[in-house]
Amino acid sequence: MDRLGSGIAGGRLAPADYERNFSDLHPRFDRHEALVAADRCYFCHDAPCMTACPTAIDIPLFIRQISTANPLGAARTIFSQNSLGGMCARVCPTETLCEEACVRHTAEDRPVEIGRLQRYATDIAMETGRQFFARAPETGKTIAVVGAGPAGLACAHRAALNGHTAIVFDAREKPGGLNEYGIAAYKAADDFAQREVDYLLAIGGIEIRNGHALGRDFSLSDLTRDYDAVFLGLGLAGVNALGLEGEDLAGVDDAVDFIAALRQAENKADVPIGRRVVVLGGGMTAIDAAIQAKLLGAEEVTICYRRGKDQMNASEYEQDLAASKGVLIRHWLSPKRILGRDGAVAGIELDYTALRDGHLTGTGETGVIACDQVLKAIGQSFRASGLGTLAMERGRIVIDEHCRTSMDGVYAGGDCTNRGEDLTVQAVAHGRDAADAIHRHLAAAGQPAVAVA
Ligand SMILES: Cc1cc2nc3c(=O)[nH]c(=O)nc-3n(C[C@H](O)[C@H](O)[C@H](O)COP(=O)(O)OP(=O)(O)OC[C@H]3O[C@@H](n4cnc5c(N)ncnc54)[C@H](O)[C@@H]3O)c2cc1C
Ligand code: SF4
């Protein structure tokens, strides 16, 4: 159905096209492919790939285990450091992390395919339902985790392994955070995010309460009063506004909302998409929104970014992926106003930009791109509510290297904090480390005082 007579409609493609377009981006290696890929590893003793991984997975060890036909052993090695190793194998920008650091990444050679090998091992383990770790005896302590995204889930899982009970509160209907609502559909095909949550919960000791929002249904002081420790993995719930004329027109949407609707749609053909779509931004969200707009059947998709190719947050691999799907990326263009007709988007006027004395400025030249949908991917922000006097820096929760906040007994991790990159694997590392710090804290608090002579 057309929206306001614009080109925005659902159901542009045949059902088989939707199925093909949103299937797995990189299907899993078969056994032979995995053995060949594993054989390329030099098993470096000071493996730089491992240092580049925020969760410090022992990469040479798990690759050796695959090469000796022991994928379950490999999965154990991976999960011991990263309980969401299956999702990370699918979504990690390995080209800027472990694979970039791989010693085989040279002009003449190519890195070992670490991400795909990780997926091979973790998929096999999850399909067999095999759990590798048993929970420590119950400690009687209960930890409140707010946010069931990668940070909260990793924290809850490690806390449960340490013998505590974790109660996870999340404002949304389903757990998973951006794994469920944000990651591109072709990276987490076949409902992988929920399958991974089920796999994590199978160890026991974790209860998820959806539809419970901090700041609306309870406050931080309620949690510090009722629980032995608190972990905040709130992500970035706010989206930045353009602040431009025409932003309220029908057809101007936040890219994260567009992706969330797409991820939740029973039938991709029901998701309305423009004929000519402009995506504003230069990060992973812009690339994912643009590719998925194209896969939904948009005829033209153009990413407009206000700086040059080298300044884009999206990696070169992601930029190439977008280009391979027919997305046009245009640099040095900054939105000036959105043009409308009959209440809906009809085009966007942009300023040409340039760097002068290190500052980004308009050149005075403008141009117009005709379009019927604009997707804003210009960044997200942390929406703090119910946090009392918790220390913040540049709009995010301040944490130290043990994920401690300024409040005793309150820990935080992932995108809502001021440490590390906004990546799934970083959130997992924070959640895990916070759970271990909480465990040490609770153990120390339970020790009898030692009399000093
Ligand atoms: C479109 C998009 C694509 C991305 N693609 C990739 C990718 O391919 N690879 C990659 O590594 N990273 C990617 N990222 C980044 C990655 O998704 C995040 O870094 C990661 O999800 C952060 O995890 P988190 O647990 O901190 O937050 P989130 O995943 O955002 O989870 C936070 C959870 O907290 C809940 N919550 C928020 N406020 C409250 C409240 N007041 N009360 C209760 N619950 C609350 C939310 O409902 C949510 O479930 C992408 C991000 C976006 C937006
Ligand atoms: S750096 Fe590359 S070759 Fe060396 S251990 Fe890591 S994956 Fe193997």
Side-chain angles (χ1 to χ4, degrees):
M1 185 181 61
D2 261 18
R3 186 157 96 186
L4 292 172
S6 71
I8 297 190
R12 290 241 162 81
L13 308 176
D17 292 329
Y18 289 108
E19 196 161 314
R20 191 186 53 244
N21 287 354
F22 290 96
S23 62
D24 227 338
L25 182 60
H26 299 296
R28 185 170 109 199
F29 276 150
D30 63 25
R31 187 171 181 274
H32 175 71
E33 288 168 326
L35 290 176
V36 171
D39 243 16
R40 295 188 60 247
C41 179
Y42 295 153
F43 309 117
C44 313
H45 75 277
D46 56 348
C49 53
M50 191 172 156
T51 317
C53 172
T55 53
I57 292 171
D58 192 336
I59 293 168
L61 174 60
F62 94 68
I63 295 181
R64 188 181 287 281
Q65 288 166 317
I66 289 175
S67 73
T68 55
N70 180 12
L72 289 177
R76 188 186 199 288
T77 302
I78 295 160
F79 288 138
S80 68
Q81 288 295 98
N82 182 335
S83 52
L84 280 82
M87 183 59 87
C88 288
R90 288 162 165 77
V91 307
C92 263
T94 49
E95 65 281 2
T96 60
L97 296 170
C98 54
E99 291 179 18
E100 184 177 55
C102 175
V103 296
R104 295 204 65 163
H105 183 201
T106 63
E108 297 78 36
D109 203 354
R110 60 191 171 85
V112 175
E113 291 173 277
I114 302 167
R116 295 191 73 184
L117 284 165
Q118 180 165 320
R119 169 149 178 206
Y120 171 76
T122 51
D123 273 12
I124 289 177
M126 288 174 68
E127 276 163 19
T128 59
R130 173 80 182 267
Q131 293 284 336
F132 297 96
F133 311 100
R135 292 183 65 206
E138 289 277 354
T139 61
K141 304 284 183 196
T142 306
I143 295 160
V145 174
V146 191
L153 289 172
C155 179
H157 188 260
R158 184 61 76 107
L161 283 182
N162 288 337
H164 310 301
T165 298
I167 308 291
V168 186
F169 300 93
D170 198 288
R172 302 190 86 145
E173 276 173 32
K174 291 187 192 172
L178 288 172
N179 284 356
E180 172 60 35
Y181 291 96
I183 294 294
Y186 46 80
K187 291 185 191 169
D190 302 326
D191 207 17
F192 183 77
Q194 292 311 304
R195 286 196 282 125
E196 186 169 59
V197 171
D198 293 343
Y199 183 71
L200 289 175
L201 296 189
I203 60 156
I206 305 173
E207 183 191 330
I208 299 199
R209 297 185 189 165
N210 286 109
H212 286 69
L214 174 69
R216 185 190 68 198
D217 304 319
F218 53 88
S219 68
L220 185 53
S221 53
D222 294 333
L223 298 180
T224 52
R225 185 194 59 220
D226 297 341
Y227 294 90
D228 295 296
V230 177
F231 175 79
L232 303 172
L234 296 162
L236 302 173
V239 281
N240 294 338
L242 288 169
L244 295 180
E245 182 187 328
E247 195 166 357
D248 296 333
L249 289 163
V252 181
D253 300 305
D254 288 316
V256 278
D257 293 343
F258 163 71
I259 294 170
L262 176 76
R263 284 290 309 273
Q264 297 308 306
E266 289 272 320
N267 183 356
K268 300 279 184 281
D270 294 340
V271 182
I273 190 69
R275 281 192 191 286
R276 286 186 287 189
V277 180
V278 167
V279 182
L280 302 172
M284 217 181 261
T285 306
I287 296 280
D288 285 357
I291 291 178
Q292 290 177 106
K294 197 81 180 87
L295 297 178
L296 277 175
E299 286 164 17
E300 283 171 28
V301 180
T302 309
I303 292 179
C304 295
Y305 179 55
R306 64 201 174 115
R307 294 176 184 270
K309 180 177 170 60
D310 294 343
Q311 288 92 44
M312 285 183 83
N313 272 337
S315 69
E316 199 157 336
Y317 164 79
E318 287 169 322
Q319 295 179 43
D320 290 347
L321 181 67
S324 75
K325 302 287 180 196
V327 171
L328 177 66
I329 303 181
R330 296 187 61 179
H331 303 103
W332 305 111
L333 283 175
S334 173
K336 191 172 181 199
R337 66 188 170 116
I338 299 170
L339 311 169
R341 192 185 313 119
D342 302 329
V345 180
I348 182 164
E349 186 176 349
L350 301 122
D351 278 323
Y352 283 84
T353 54
L355 270 188
R356 297 215 173 106
D357 301 325
H359 297 289
L360 188 74
T361 53
T363 61
E365 272 183 276
T366 60
V368 169
I369 299 178
C371 59
D372 48 30
Q373 190 170 26
V374 173
L375 296 174
K376 298 178 286 180
I378 53 166
Q380 293 173 265
S381 56
F382 178 51
R383 234 190 257 148
S385 169
L387 294 179
T389 55
L390 209 61
M392 309 283 288
E393 183 185 78
R394 283 177 285 116
R396 304 220 191 175
I397 300 171
V398 176
I399 55 168
D400 66 10
E401 69 275 23
H402 303 294
C403 299
R404 289 180 298 211
T405 69
S406 60
M407 232 180 251
D408 197 31
V410 179
Y411 298 73
D415 288 2
C416 67
T417 68
N418 66 339
R419 283 178 93 92
E421 285 188 79
D422 292 346
L423 292 175
T424 309
V425 66
Q426 180 64 76
V428 172
H430 280 165
R432 176 200 66 189
D433 294 347
D436 283 341
I438 290 170
H439 186 57
R440 288 192 298 274
H441 173 73
L442 293 177
Q447 295 292 321
V450 178
V452 180

